[in-house]
Amino acid sequence: MKINKVELYNIGPYLDKNTFQFTCNKDKHIVLIGGKNGAGKTTFFKSIKTCLYGCKVWGFDAPGKEYYRFVENLINAKIKYDSTLKAYIEVELEFDDGKQIIQYILRREWAKNKKGLEENFLIHKNGEILSISDQYDFMTYLLSLIPPDMFNFYFFDGESIADFFLGSDGNKNFRNAFLKLYGLDTLSIMIENFERYYSKSDKKNSIYDEYKNSKNTYQKKQELVVDLLMKKNDLESKIDLLQIKFGALRNDYKEGGGISLSEWKELNKALSAEESKRDEINRWIKDVANNYLPFIIVEKQLHKTLTQLQAEQEEQKKQVFKEVFNSSDLNSKVSEFLSGQGIDNSLTEILLHFISNNAFHNESINVIYDFSSAQFMKIIAQISEKLNFDKNSITKALRELDKSLKQSKSVRESLLESSIEGYEEFNQQKDEFENAILRCKLELEQINQEIALQQIKLCELEKVCDIAKKSYEKLLKDKSINEISQRAIGVYAPLIEKLIVRQSKILQEEFIKNFTSIINKENFIDGIVIDKNINVIPYKMIDVSFLQLDNYLKTDSKTQFLRMFDYQYLMDINDLRMGFVDSIKLPMPITAPFSQGERQVYIMSLYLALLKTSRKDIPFFLDTPFARIDSDHREKIIKEFFNGVDNQIFVLSTDEEMVGAYVDLINSHVSDKYRLDIDTYGKTSVTAGKYFEVNV
């Protein structure tokens, strides 16, 4: 489907006839319509969808007062005061089914009468007006191709598109878009009608009611657990944020030289210890200098003196022994001994004389010192002690002294770079952070206990629901008109679930491809997963160890979240439990809020993935496409959005968005340009071939 022409006559600020002619083809599929705020860009889009759907696009089944009140606001104010004037919107559409090209011209016109406004609607096909019945058939086809509520999906308003997906009705809007874009809405409606018919059956369906009630109870309990998990994740995120801020506070304090009182005291204590150590070393060195150094200097003389003293000491000992042998007392005792042995006494004198002259005979020495035996021993001991002194200990002591000086210098530098001036304020803020973290952890513990309790109840309800489901499935085997509905539900419900899973995987792959090509941040989102209720859940892969596995499964309501991945991680979990690996990567849902820019990139990536994977050739409109998007992401978005889609694209831009280098990026795909200028009287003039003072 392609729009070839739009003609506005007395619509909004478009006074009289204003024509937009488009020459789009496969290669040139972009139309630039530029104008400042209030020039009529949004009116242009509203006019097209009003022409196509009339009252239905605004939620009315038939034209009435509310619808005409809207039309009055849409048309130019002149008609309100001049009953002879009329207003109309004319849109030319082109359909190419691969065999032939068919052109339709839809014209919706309004004129005033006595009662108010009157609407007239005509459709031409290849130049010929259609009959009422043919018009009805065409509108039925158009409504099936793109329902009125889906037309808003093809209008990308940068200011409000995030609310379309993330607002209070975001899940509902995404679900509707998903089902209709992939052609699953009809099957979904069929299942709802079968369930509605079955629930209204006159037959008492106690088994079905039991299953339905148990399922509702289980789902409510599941929602409660999910809410608790969300609160838990929020608290964990809050704790992480507090800890990050606390860390930043400590880093800032330390970078400013701040230290605690205990650290300050420890530094001064270390400095005093080094000074005491050096005093002790200096005292020792002084003692060595006084008591040992002089002797070290005269070491050779000491050795010579020691030798002389030892020799004189030996000589003194020999003289003593010699005197003893020569004494009369020893002589008489030896004589008595020899006589007792039968030996002649004459031998006594000969024997003692021999021992005295031979045993103690030595060369005479020059005696220098005349000391007593005790004096010899004392002096020799003192000289030996001086000679045995370890001279290396002096070098070692000097090294220790130098090391201590360097250590003292380092401590002094630390003291000079440190401060305790802001310690009281820092300590107060530290206490506040620690108290806040403690409160959050206590609350987190309470929530963990509540989650554990509710998960036990959830398991019990799941068993009850499974029993009721089996009874219900058994009931579906019976044959009756009522049972046909039951069987249809049993057949089509699994079918649509499989189709949703299949399309979800395609969408998920396309989304992450688009997202990673646009976003500048790394490790931000690893993907999205779509649950059975068609809710989009972004996730990030995390490392999970054996000790963390049970906590991970509890955190994510056991395997509920992992089931969305079609059990692809069960083998990894088994390997981890068996100890084959130390850790595995598992998905973790992202619940922390995105920034405005991140939300916009996330939504644009999801939006683009839906457009690409649905493959519907329907024009779409971009109004303020770069709202909340920084300059770093704009170029990537242009490449993905404008150059990556073949659909006819209408860009409704101000003079601050799609201009300059951004226009150059898509210029090769631009078929037509229009500039809207509004004067001081509120009238818009349309200039073809120009776009903010630039000629085509």
Side-chain angles (χ1 to χ4, degrees):
M1 173 180 161
K2 184 170 64 174
I3 299 175
N4 287 336
K5 186 179 74 170
V6 174
E7 198 170 282
L8 306 178
Y9 187 83
N10 289 334
I11 300 297
Y14 298 97
L15 188 61
D16 298 325
K17 183 178 178 180
N18 294 268
T19 303
F20 297 81
Q21 191 76 41
F22 310 117
T23 59
C24 297
N25 54 47
K26 185 176 181 180
D27 295 325
K28 292 183 175 291
H29 57 94
I30 300 176
V31 177
L32 292 179
I33 300 178
K36 295 184 178 181
N37 293 330
K41 299 187 299 297
T42 304
T43 301
F44 173 82
F45 172 74
K46 287 182 179 179
S47 300
I48 293 174
K49 66 178 184 179
T50 302
C51 180
L52 295 181
Y53 302 104
C55 62
K56 292 185 181 298
V57 78
W58 303 109
F60 307 111
D61 294 328
K65 289 183 179 180
E66 294 294 327
Y67 170 64
Y68 284 121
R69 188 176 294 115
F70 171 81
V71 173
E72 284 181 352
N73 293 328
L74 180 64
I75 62 179
N76 191 272
K78 278 192 173 184
I79 298 183
K80 299 176 183 179
Y81 308 106
D82 190 346
S83 59
T84 63
L85 295 177
K86 65 179 180 179
Y88 69 81
I89 305 168
E90 188 175 285
V91 178
E92 180 180 325
L93 303 176
E94 179 180 304
F95 292 84
D96 185 1
D97 61 0
K99 297 180 181 179
Q100 60 178 338
I101 296 176
I102 304 175
Q103 291 182 340
Y104 291 89
I105 297 177
L106 287 72
R107 182 185 177 109
R108 202 173 291 271
E109 183 175 306
W110 298 274
K112 293 201 70 172
N113 58 23
K114 293 181 180 180
K115 295 182 180 180
L117 287 175
E118 181 181 10
E119 182 178 283
N120 185 32
F121 182 57
L122 294 174
I123 301 176
H124 289 78
K125 177 182 179 182
N126 291 335
E128 295 183 5
I129 191 169
L130 294 181
S131 63
I132 299 298
S133 61
D134 289 340
Q135 286 190 28
Y136 177 81
D137 292 340
F138 173 79
M139 290 305 300
T140 301
Y141 167 70
L142 184 63
L143 290 171
S144 66
L145 179 65
I146 174 170
D149 58 340
M150 275 303 296
F151 203 88
N152 287 326
F153 175 80
Y154 284 89
F155 178 69
F156 187 102
D157 184 352
E159 294 291 343
S160 61
I161 191 65
D163 292 332
F164 183 84
F165 283 108
L166 300 176
S168 57
D169 293 328
N171 289 338
K172 178 181 177 183
N173 292 334
F174 178 79
R175 186 176 189 277
N176 290 338
F178 183 95
L179 293 174
K180 289 174 181 177
L181 286 171
Y182 295 133
L184 302 176
D185 55 323
T186 302
L187 188 58
S188 177
I189 293 171
M190 287 173 55
I191 294 172
E192 290 176 1
N193 288 334
F194 282 131
E195 289 180 342
R196 191 179 299 110
Y197 175 82
Y198 179 66
S199 64
K200 291 181 179 179
S201 173
D202 293 332
K203 182 181 177 180
K204 293 182 179 180
N205 294 300
S206 57
I207 295 178
Y208 173 76
D209 292 338
E210 183 180 350
Y211 168 60
K212 185 177 180 180
N213 292 334
S214 63
K215 183 179 179 181
N216 289 337
T217 304
Y218 173 73
Q219 288 178 342
K220 288 180 180 178
K221 183 64 70 176
Q222 196 174 39
E223 290 172 0
L224 175 61
V225 172
V226 171
D227 288 341
L228 288 171
L229 290 171
M230 294 287 285
K231 289 180 181 178
K232 176 180 178 177
N233 288 333
D234 289 342
L235 268 176
E236 289 174 341
S237 298
K238 186 177 180 180
I239 291 171
D240 289 341
L241 182 60
L242 284 170
Q243 289 175 336
I244 290 171
K245 290 182 177 179
F246 185 26
L249 174 68
R250 287 186 296 190
N251 288 337
D252 290 343
Y253 181 69
K254 287 183 178 180
E255 287 176 1
I259 59 173
S260 64
L261 287 172
S262 60
E263 290 173 326
W264 180 270
K265 290 178 180 179
E266 284 297 322
L267 287 173
N268 281 284
K269 183 179 178 182
L271 187 61
S272 297
E274 291 300 326
E275 290 175 350
S276 299
K277 182 178 180 180
R278 287 197 305 278
D279 288 342
E280 184 178 347
I281 293 172
N282 285 325
R283 283 195 299 272
W284 183 85
I285 291 174
K286 185 177 180 180
D287 180 63
V288 168
N290 292 331
N291 297 311
Y292 292 93
L293 189 59
F295 296 100
I296 293 173
I297 295 172
V298 293
E299 184 176 1
K300 290 182 180 180
Q301 289 82 349
L302 277 179
H303 278 291
K304 186 176 179 181
T305 302
L306 179 63
T307 302
Q308 177 67 29
L309 287 171
Q310 290 173 336
E312 290 188 16
Q313 186 184 34
E314 286 298 318
E315 180 63 26
Q316 189 182 63
K317 290 179 181 178
K318 289 178 181 180
Q319 291 298 327
V320 171
F321 277 106
K322 190 173 182 179
E323 290 176 1
V324 171
F325 271 92
N326 291 327
S327 66
S328 58
D329 185 48
L330 180 63
N331 194 321
S332 61
K333 287 183 178 180
V334 171
S335 297
E336 290 178 4
F337 174 74
L338 293 174
S339 297
Q341 298 296 322
I343 299 172
D344 188 0
N345 284 337
S346 61
L347 294 175
T348 301
E349 185 177 348
I350 297 170
L351 178 62
L352 291 175
H353 179 75
F354 173 79
I355 293 173
S356 176
N357 292 327
N358 291 281
F360 304 104
H361 178 74
N362 62 339
E363 296 180 358
S364 62
I365 63 170
N366 184 23
V367 177
I368 300 175
Y369 309 105
D370 186 17
F371 294 145
S372 66
S373 175
Q375 288 175 327
F376 270 120
M377 292 179 64
K378 180 178 179 182
I379 294 170
I380 289 172
Q382 289 176 344
I383 292 175
S384 297
E385 190 262 338
K386 304 301 182 188
L387 289 174
N388 291 330
F389 175 74
D390 184 9
K391 295 185 285 295
N392 291 329
S393 61
I394 299 175
T395 304
K396 184 178 178 182
L398 292 174
R399 283 200 299 266
E400 288 293 325
L401 189 63
D402 184 62
K403 182 179 177 181
S404 178
L405 286 170
K406 290 179 180 179
Q407 183 65 22
S408 294
K409 181 181 178 183
S410 176
V411 174
R412 286 194 185 93
E413 288 175 351
S414 297
L415 282 169
L416 289 173
E417 293 172 356
S418 304
S419 172
I420 56 172
E421 290 183 2
Y423 178 71
E424 291 185 2
E425 182 181 354
F426 164 75
N427 202 41
Q428 182 181 356
Q429 292 178 340
K430 179 177 75 71
D431 291 342
E432 291 174 358
F433 273 116
E434 289 176 343
N435 291 334
I437 292 171
L438 179 60
R439 287 194 297 270
C440 288
K441 286 184 176 179
L442 291 174
E443 187 178 352
L444 182 62
E445 180 61 28
Q446 292 176 350
I447 289 179
N448 282 332
Q449 294 175 2
E450 181 66 17
I451 289 173
L453 177 63
Q454 295 301 330
Q455 284 179 335
I456 293 172
K457 294 181 179 179
L458 185 66
C459 290
E460 295 172 352
L461 290 173
E462 186 177 18
K463 292 178 182 177
V464 173
C465 186
D466 287 341
I467 294 171
K469 183 180 180 181
K470 290 178 181 178
S471 299
Y472 169 60
E473 289 172 345
K474 184 178 179 182
L475 181 66
L476 293 180
K477 297 178 181 179
D478 299 333
K479 295 181 179 179
S480 67
I481 296 176
N482 184 49
E483 291 156 7
I484 292 174
S485 297
Q486 300 176 43
R487 289 182 178 179
I489 295 170
V491 171
Y492 290 128
L495 174 61
I496 195 170
E497 286 183 6
K498 289 182 179 179
L499 292 174
I500 288 172
V501 169
R502 186 186 70 179
Q503 292 301 137
S504 296
K505 289 181 179 179
I506 296 173
L507 178 62
Q508 289 160 201
E509 291 175 0
E510 186 61 34
F511 164 82
I512 198 61
K513 177 182 175 183
N514 297 330
F515 187 83
T516 53
S517 65
I518 294 175
I519 196 70
N520 284 334
K521 292 184 177 179
E522 293 183 0
N523 302 321
F524 182 59
I525 290 179
D526 289 324
I528 59 171
V529 65
I530 300 173
D531 64 16
K532 62 182 180 180
N533 296 320
I534 318 181
N535 296 314
V536 182
I537 305 171
Y539 67 87
K540 181 174 178 53
M541 301 302 292
I542 62 169
D543 287 315
V544 178
S545 66
F546 177 82
L547 296 176
Q548 296 169 328
L549 182 60
D550 288 340
N551 185 57
Y552 170 87
L553 294 176
K554 289 178 183 177
T555 302
D556 296 290
S557 186
K558 295 187 176 178
T559 57
Q560 292 298 320
F561 180 68
L562 290 180
R563 286 176 184 171
M564 300 179 198
F565 295 87
D566 201 20
Y567 301 99
Q568 69 185 74
Y569 295 104
L570 289 183
M571 291 297 294
D572 293 339
I573 292 175
N574 185 60
D575 288 344
L576 183 60
R577 288 192 184 279
M578 297 297 291
F580 297 146
V581 293
D582 295 329
S583 66
I584 59 175
K585 284 191 174 294
L586 292 177
M588 174 67 75
I590 297 175
T591 57
F594 301 155
S595 68
Q596 292 291 343
E598 290 166 351
R599 279 162 54 99
Q600 200 74 350
V601 174
Y602 172 80
I603 292 302
M604 293 186 86
S605 301
L606 185 60
Y607 188 90
L608 183 58
L610 284 166
L611 286 175
K612 286 184 176 181
T613 55
S614 64
R615 301 184 182 279
K616 289 187 177 292
D617 186 18
I618 297 173
F620 66 93
F621 301 78
L622 295 170
D623 188 8
T624 58
F626 294 146
R628 303 183 182 91
I629 297 294
D630 56 59
S631 58
D632 292 338
H633 288 95
R634 290 190 179 188
E635 183 174 339
K636 294 181 179 180
I637 290 172
I638 288 173
K639 291 178 180 178
E640 291 296 323
F641 244 89
F642 299 92
N643 298 334
V645 179
D646 294 330
N647 300 54
Q648 186 182 27
I649 304 175
F650 292 86
V651 182
L652 312 177
S653 174
T654 65
D655 58 349
E656 295 180 356
E657 287 196 286
M658 189 62 71
V659 292
Y662 301 131
V663 175
D664 295 337
L665 288 172
I666 63 170
N667 207 38
S668 60
H669 297 295
V670 174
S671 63
D672 306 281
K673 296 180 182 179
Y674 286 89
R675 192 182 69 204
L676 309 180
D677 297 294
I678 188 166
D679 60 20
T680 55
Y681 300 99
K683 176 185 175 182
T684 292
S685 60
V686 180
T687 306
K690 288 189 176 181
Y691 182 75
F692 296 124
E693 306 302 327
V694 179
N695 295 328
V696 176

